[in-house]
């Protein structure tokens, strides 16, 4: 009898139908999907459990917190998919410090400011290909709704 117990310890349970992949869910079939959608729309509170995509976590004020995805959401007939994360393991998203916002604003200002006319635009400029803004390239005045005009005494950070 002891030899049978010893042999059982060496056995490994193998599932012949497990391909080692992630569980896959279609739209609104993942656990808690309906509750997550209602919470994003502001109709219900944030669910404490279930699965959500990274964007859904962001809309709920959460982030995956370094945890790996646990499933996949299949969309558009299998041509698109997204990772699903557990809501109960998610952590509140980080809020950038003022220094981080300032660094981001400086980086964006470098991409949005024309080196010739020194105007800062709302969109990034084609500085690698043209080297200047479109109005400077065409020799016209820029449209007022595309140029940032800083108001005095306001917070000028991009983020």
């Amino acid at each position: 009898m002891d030899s049978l117990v010893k042999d059982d310890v060496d056995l490994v349970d193998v599932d012949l139908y497990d391909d080692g992949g992630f569980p896959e869910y279609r739209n609104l079939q993942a656990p808690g999907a309906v509750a997550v959608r209602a919470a994003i729309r502001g109709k219900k509170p944030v669910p404490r459990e279930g699965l959500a995509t990274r964007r859904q976590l962001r809309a709920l004020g959460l982030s995956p917190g370094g945890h790996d995805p646990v499933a996949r959401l299949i969309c558009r007939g299998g041509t698109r998919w997204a990772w699903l994360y557990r809501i109960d393991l998610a952590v509140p998203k980080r809020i950038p410090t003022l220094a981080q916002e300032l660094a981001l604003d400086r980086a964006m200002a470098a991409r949005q400011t024309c080196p010739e006319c020194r105007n800062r635009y709302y969109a990034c400029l084609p500085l690698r290909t043209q080297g200047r803004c479109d109005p400077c390239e065409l020799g016209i005045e820029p449209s007022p709704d595309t140029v940032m005009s800083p108001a005095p005494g306001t917070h000028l950070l991009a983020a």
Side-chain angles (χ1 to χ4, degrees):
M1 183 72 179
D2 290 332
S3 65
L4 289 176
V5 173
K6 183 180 176 189
D7 291 339
D8 285 345
V9 174
D10 297 334
L11 296 177
V12 177
D13 187 21
V14 177
D15 185 3
L16 297 176
Y17 300 104
D18 184 17
D19 61 354
F22 285 94
E24 294 181 348
Y25 298 100
R26 298 279 176 192
N27 195 20
L28 294 178
Q29 292 180 346
V34 175
V36 168
R37 183 174 280 185
I40 290 173
R41 293 180 177 167
K43 296 181 179 177
K44 291 194 177 182
V46 177
R48 298 206 182 269
E49 57 185 31
L51 301 177
T53 64
R54 186 179 294 266
R55 275 193 187 181
Q56 289 171 335
L57 288 175
R58 277 286 176 201
L60 297 172
L62 302 170
S63 71
H67 294 284
D68 292 330
V70 295
R72 286 191 344 168
L73 176 67
I74 306 296
C75 304
R76 299 189 184 206
T79 58
R80 300 200 44 137
W81 56 273
W83 292 120
L84 291 172
Y85 299 88
R86 288 178 47 187
I87 294 176
D88 58 333
L89 297 178
V91 295
K93 65 180 176 180
R94 296 183 323 167
I95 298 171
T97 64
L98 194 59
Q100 289 172 331
E101 285 191 34
L102 183 61
L104 175 62
D105 186 62
R106 285 182 180 160
M108 291 304 295
R111 296 179 66 195
Q112 295 170 336
T113 304
C114 176
E116 285 190 18
C117 64
R118 306 302 302 162
N119 285 331
R120 183 171 177 186
Y121 293 85
Y122 288 106
C124 293
L125 301 176
L127 297 177
R128 282 191 176 182
T129 55
Q130 284 182 208
R132 54 190 172 176
C133 64
D134 285 335
C136 286
E137 183 75 18
L138 301 173
I140 59 174
E141 282 294 315
S143 174
D145 59 342
T146 60
V147 178
M148 287 188 193
S149 57
T154 60
H155 161 4
L156 301 174
L157 300 179

